[in-house]
């Protein structure tokens, strides 16, 4: 896999190696959708949604950062989903687009930093079964707990889902495809 941004995972074996390899693959597919784009192209909305390629990279990095914070610190590391302020909502909307002064290279570099931290945390976790209570949110079962393993599966799934979104955005932009 060659990309402008690559992540070197710590040396791990077994289940952790499998989880990190799958996450690295999904990150590659997501980053690959931005190959050879200008900042202006990465900021363009190419479908009816508010999504742009640069914004998707920012969003995935933000979500991964929050979930890793959850693994380490519990629900206090997550945004307030139950009672967001108008400022919270505006800040969340800004994560889906490139703001003035932001560059594709900058968001890719920030994503690489998040990925490196995630990989280091996964390598150092004493127990993938350690769990935390989920924060209050309409989409979480009240009182549910997630293990570090389940959080990693969530990050992998979300990264893969957004890589698919990014592939559609890129094909709509200039016809380029990640596969096929």
């Amino acid at each position: 896999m060659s990309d402008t941004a690559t992540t070197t995972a710590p040396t791990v074996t077994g289940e952790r190696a499998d989880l990190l390899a799958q996450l690295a693959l999904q990150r590659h597919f997501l980053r690959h959708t931005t190959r050879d784009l200008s900042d202006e192209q990465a900021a363009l909305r190419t479908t009816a949604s508010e999504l742009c390629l640069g914004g998707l990279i920012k969003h995935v990095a933000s979500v991964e950062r929050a979930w890793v914070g959850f693994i380490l610190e519990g629900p206090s590391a997550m945004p307030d989903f139950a009672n967001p302020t108008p400022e919270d909502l505006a800040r969340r909307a800004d994560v889906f687009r490139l703001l003035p002064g932001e560059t594709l290279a900058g968001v890719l570099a920030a994503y690489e930093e998040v990925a490196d931290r995630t990989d280091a945390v996964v390598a150092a976790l004493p127990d993938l079964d350690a769990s935390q209570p989920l924060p209050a949110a309409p989409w979480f079962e009240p009182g549910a707990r997630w293990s570090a393993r389940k959080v990693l599966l969530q990050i992998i799934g979300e990264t893969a889902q957004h890589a698919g979104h990014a592939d559609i955005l890129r094909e709509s932009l200039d016809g380029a495809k990640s596969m096929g």
Side-chain angles (χ1 to χ4, degrees), residues 1-66:
M1 276 185 259
S2 69
D3 248 339
T4 56
T6 58
T7 301
T8 304
T11 302
V12 293
T13 60
E15 180 184 18
R16 290 170 201 253
D18 292 343
L19 290 167
L20 290 175
Q22 187 57 231
L23 182 53
L25 179 64
Q26 299 311 317
R27 288 176 183 143
H28 163 76
F29 286 134
L30 177 60
R31 286 190 309 261
H32 186 66
T33 63
T34 66
R35 69 198 177 282
D36 304 322
L37 291 181
S38 68
D39 293 337
E40 293 75 24
Q41 289 171 307
L44 286 175
R45 292 175 43 209
T46 61
T47 65
S49 79
E50 294 292 323
L51 300 175
C52 68
L53 288 166
L56 270 178
I57 300 288
K58 279 178 54 178
H59 169 69
V60 172
S62 173
V63 167
E64 185 171 323
R65 183 183 307 109

Side-chain angles (χ1 to χ4, degrees), residues 160-179:
Q161 178 180 13
H162 289 311
H165 293 147
D167 205 31
I168 292 167
L169 295 175
R170 179 61 191 260
E171 188 174 1
S172 297
L173 178 66
D174 64 4
K177 298 178 187 177
S178 294
M179 300 169 103

Side-chain angles (χ1 to χ4, degrees), residues 81-126:
F81 298 116
N83 300 299
T85 66
E87 294 79 20
D88 292 334
L89 296 174
R91 204 170 23 260
R92 287 184 198 153
D94 284 347
V95 171
F96 287 98
R97 59 192 182 101
L98 283 182
L99 299 174
E102 291 180 328
T103 65
L104 178 57
V107 298
L108 286 168
Y111 185 36
E112 184 173 5
E113 289 176 17
V114 168
D116 288 345
R117 178 174 184 251
T118 298
D119 294 352
V121 166
V122 171
L125 279 176

